[in-house]
């Protein structure tokens, strides 16, 4: 993951990535931690707060793509709100996220979006609460895949078992499912992935 929104930092920090041969570089626009979204200087905020400026995100990604020779992807939420009590949904609705994806793609050429299927609350919730209090909206991730068939979408958030992952992948429209915390809580789940998800029965 790359976190900061400063153009020069993005370019400079990516230079070593080629040396270590990472498979891809990902810009994180999903983290709602107060440490990254609550800085007094708005220009120094990053994480989920970047979603309020899709043109800026697109430019960050464009410069990142110029700096590396591996795919550049974007991780983001379905929207952002200032608090969990806010009634302002202008940056937390399907039309907003569709415009966000379209703008970012047009400006950067990025084609793979990893979508945490809930909004980010930028104030009043801990990172842990931000993974449980905002409701999951899986249908909106699938709708993005329908509306942008030339792009790839991976679904993130709340998927705890391979059965749940298989259910999300069943339509064939998603590029993947992310199971971060489920895997580090139970690493043995990975032993079944090749067989059940990819049909590889040789292990």
């Amino acid at each position: 993951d790359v976190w900061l929104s400063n153009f020069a930092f993005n370019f400079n920090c990516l230079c070593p990535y080629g040396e270590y041969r990472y498979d891809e570089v990902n810009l994180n626009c999903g983290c709602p931690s107060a440490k990254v979204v609550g800085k007094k200087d708005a220009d120094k905020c990053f994480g989920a707060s970047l979603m309020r400026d899709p043109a800026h995100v697109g430019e960050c990604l464009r410069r990142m793509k110029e700096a590396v020779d591996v795919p550049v992807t974007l991780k983001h939420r379905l929207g952002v709100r200032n608090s969990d009590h806010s009634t302002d949904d202008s940056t937390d609705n399907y039309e907003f996220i569709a415009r966000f994806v379209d703008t970012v793609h047009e400006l950067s050429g990025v084609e793979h979006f990893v979508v945490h299927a809930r909004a980010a609350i930028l104030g009043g919730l801990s990172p842990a609460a931000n993974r449980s209090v905002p409701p999951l909206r899986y249908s909106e991730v699938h709708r993005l895949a329908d509306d942008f068939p030339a792009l790839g979408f991976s679904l993130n958030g709340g998927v705890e078992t391979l059965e749940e992952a298989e259910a999300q992948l069943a339509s064939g429209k998603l590029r993947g499912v992310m199971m971060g915390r489920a895997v580090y809580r139970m690493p043995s789940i990975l032993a079944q992935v090749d067989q059940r998800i990819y049909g590889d029965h040789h292990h």
Side-chain angles (χ1 to χ4, degrees):
D1 276 3
V2 178
W3 291 72
L4 289 183
S5 61
N6 179 277
F7 293 146
F9 180 89
N10 275 330
F11 180 85
N12 292 331
C13 79
L14 291 175
C15 292
Y17 278 41
E19 176 184 349
Y20 293 106
R21 301 314 307 164
Y22 293 110
D23 291 331
E24 69 176 47
V25 180
N26 176 272
L27 178 65
N28 191 322
C29 289
C31 180
S33 170
K35 294 180 180 178
V36 302
V37 303
K39 296 180 179 296
K40 293 182 180 179
D41 185 346
D43 291 338
K44 295 181 180 179
C45 289
F46 50 105
S49 62
L50 288 176
M51 290 190 64
R52 291 172 163 167
D53 191 348
H56 187 73
V57 173
E59 179 65 7
C60 284
L61 290 165
R62 184 186 69 79
R63 297 195 184 199
M64 289 168 65
K65 288 185 67 177
E66 290 177 348
V68 298
D69 60 359
V70 295
V72 174
T73 63
L74 176 65
K75 182 160 56 179
H76 62 89
R77 297 272 183 137
L78 282 173
V80 292
R81 291 188 184 230
N82 288 329
S83 77
D84 60 330
H85 302 299
S86 174
T87 59
D88 179 7
D89 65 354
S90 60
T91 56
D92 182 24
N93 59 70
Y94 183 77
E95 288 69 27
F96 166 79
I97 197 58
R99 287 194 305 271
F100 177 86
V101 166
D102 189 50
T103 299
V104 168
H105 169 65
E106 288 298 320
L107 293 176
S108 69
V110 162
E111 297 180 342
H112 187 188
F113 296 77
V114 182
V115 189
H116 190 142
R118 45 166 64 97
I121 306 302
L122 302 184
L125 291 183
S126 68
N130 253 295
R131 296 191 296 269
S132 60
V133 173
L136 288 162
R137 290 148 40 192
Y138 291 145
S139 63
E140 292 186 26
V141 183
H142 288 270
R143 185 177 173 186
L144 286 171
D146 282 331
D147 290 347
F148 298 92
L151 303 180
F153 295 90
S154 292
L155 182 146
N156 180 32
V159 178
E160 298 289 336
T161 67
L162 286 182
E163 288 80 10
E164 292 173 0
E166 288 170 325
Q168 295 296 336
L169 293 168
S171 69
K173 297 175 182 178
L174 296 180
R175 184 172 294 185
V177 171
M178 180 177 286
M179 297 177 63
R181 284 172 175 77
V183 170
Y184 79 61
R185 284 194 295 266
M186 188 181 296
S188 61
I189 197 172
L190 293 175
Q192 305 175 55
V193 168
D194 286 351
Q195 179 177 341
R196 293 182 56 174
I197 304 299
Y198 299 104
D200 183 350
H201 299 281
H202 297 293
H203 300 285

